[in-house]
Amino acid sequence: LQRKAMSSLKLYAFQGDFHALKCRIAAQYNGIAVDMPKFDRSKDATAKWFLEKNPLGKTPLLDTPDGAVFESNAIARYIARMRSDTELMGRSFFERALVDSWMDFAQQELEVAVTQWIYPIQGYLEYSADAEEQAEEDVAEALSVLNAHLKYRTFLVGDAVTLADICVVSALLYPMKFVLTEKVRAEYPHVMRWFLTCVNQPEIASVVGDVPLCAERMFAPGASAKGGKGKGKGKGGKGKGGGKQQQQGGKGKGKGGGKGGKAKAAAPAPAPAPEKPVDPFAGVGKSNLNMEVFKRMVANAPNNLIRAKDPEDSDDEDEYKRDYAAVMPKFFAEMYDHAKDSVWIIKYKHQHENTVDFMTSNLVRGLTQRAEGARKYCFGVFHILKQPQGDDKFIFPIVGAVVLRGTSFDPFREVSVDIAEYDVERIDPADEAAKARFVSIFGGQAGDQVEGLESMDCKWLK
């Protein structure tokens, strides 16, 4: 049945229907071919053949050998469940429930609002200022929930993309492109980290393509002339307290309404701006170590030939490998200030828990991605090692080597929520054995022996 279904699925949806994206992305992850016949919403949705499949006349609709499946979440689940090994529905009974929770969240808290906000812009729905205002508030509330949930998480459920991520990304795609400006996006940094991680996954990118983020907010045709009443700051749209016809005058109901509006009492003085948070690295003194110069020096480390191409094989190529350790003598001699800088070896506290390689890799990726506040002051690498445990079982220890401006690790702890799960050891470069150990970790690459174990993967903190 699965083989039969995989070869004869048809998804009906009109162009620009974001509800269909989740279904197409799930099919991409599961390697399932889904045909998308041309669908004219104005004609086909009321055609007899379509109403026989779905009397509601709504899209998307999936035509299968066993009959039609309607409602986008049901279609996405149907496709996701066609393969269990991809674990799009989660890895456990509990995770499957969480995936369902976030799918319902996407449908109830985002999709309804996005439809009211985006479809008028696309010309699929008549514009309503009240509906737009409510939609903007609902999306902002949903983004706040997502931002809090994603603060310490790479994905919504577990450590890999699931249908939960697919559904929420699909709902946010058009808002990110059309209406959520850079100023608005800045309020939700964890959502943006997650969103950009997702849309750059090959399976998702193959469906949604490049995702240029909104530079200037778009408005529906009616809104461009009349403006809205919401809380946003877009010109002529939902200016804070702006009345209808804010762009062209008219009877303004809000503060600063257009011509003809009654004069209002002077607005109260704005609240004082919040104090700028103190940079934990503000106390780090000047040093000869320019971290950006050091990073470029490492990036341009000697590129040595490690295997010459086979002259008998026209498709073969020479193999090269950067020798990062080769730049370290110059670094310690000319750039490193023993009184103002420091080098550290870092190890995960719970190595025995790292029993799945890609989950361990996600753990390290989360650490490197969420260390934004330290990037100007540090440079390092983290390895995922492979340690046999017998019976073809392994654990995957994490070890890193980091160069830090300043002599205390405390500022890094203040900007990185992940580092609390790691032990840090300061290395004295005057101790040649300790320095050699640091250099072997810093200069190691995937496939090398690091700390006596094979490095399966490594990720730079830069």
Side-chain angles (χ1 to χ4, degrees), residues 62-137:
L62 184 70
D63 203 2
T64 81
D66 298 311
V69 180
F70 58 92
E71 295 297 337
S72 59
N73 274 3
I75 297 170
R77 287 189 182 98
Y78 176 90
I79 295 172
R81 289 168 177 159
M82 293 178 78
R83 282 184 60 179
S84 60
D85 58 312
T86 55
E87 298 179 328
L88 287 180
M89 294 302 299
R91 296 192 181 95
S92 66
F93 183 72
F94 180 66
E95 282 196 1
R96 287 192 287 275
L98 291 180
V99 170
D100 282 334
S101 297
W102 285 108
M103 290 180 68
D104 289 348
F105 171 88
Q107 190 170 58
Q108 297 173 22
E109 308 300 328
L110 276 172
E111 290 183 5
V112 174
V114 169
T115 298
Q116 295 296 321
W117 197 355
I118 300 299
Y119 276 12
I121 295 174
Q122 295 176 311
Y124 295 136
L125 196 65
E126 184 178 351
Y127 171 74
S128 163
D130 290 334
E132 182 187 54
E133 178 183 3
Q134 186 62 55
E136 186 173 357
E137 292 177 358

Side-chain angles (χ1 to χ4, degrees), residues 448-462:
D448 290 348
Q449 290 290 306
V450 175
E451 297 281 89
L453 299 172
E454 178 190 355
S455 175
M456 296 270 302
D457 190 13
C458 62
K459 300 187 183 301
W460 289 97
L461 171 64
K462 58 182 180 179

Side-chain angles (χ1 to χ4, degrees), residues 5-10 27-28 30-36 62 82:
M6 288 174 65
S7 63
S8 54
L9 297 179
K10 293 182 180 179
Q28 193 69 28
N30 278 354
I32 295 170
V34 177
D35 294 330
M36 287 198 67
L62 184 70
M82 293 178 78

Side-chain angles (χ1 to χ4, degrees), residues 5 10 34 52 65 67 85 92 97 107 145 158 162 168 175 179-180 244-245 259 297 307 313 346 377 454:
K10 293 182 180 179
V34 177
E52 287 176 351
D85 58 312
S92 66
Q107 190 170 58
V145 171
T162 64
V168 179
V179 294
L180 299 179
K244 295 181 180 180
Q245 298 185 356
K259 296 178 181 179
M297 185 171 74
R307 187 186 68 83
D313 185 352
I346 301 174
Y377 302 93
E454 178 190 355

Side-chain angles (χ1 to χ4, degrees), residues 227-248:
K229 301 190 299 181
K231 298 178 180 179
K233 308 241 178 174
K235 182 179 179 181
K238 295 159 73 170
K240 188 170 184 179
K244 295 181 180 180
Q245 298 185 356
Q246 183 170 341
Q247 280 186 313
Q248 297 183 359

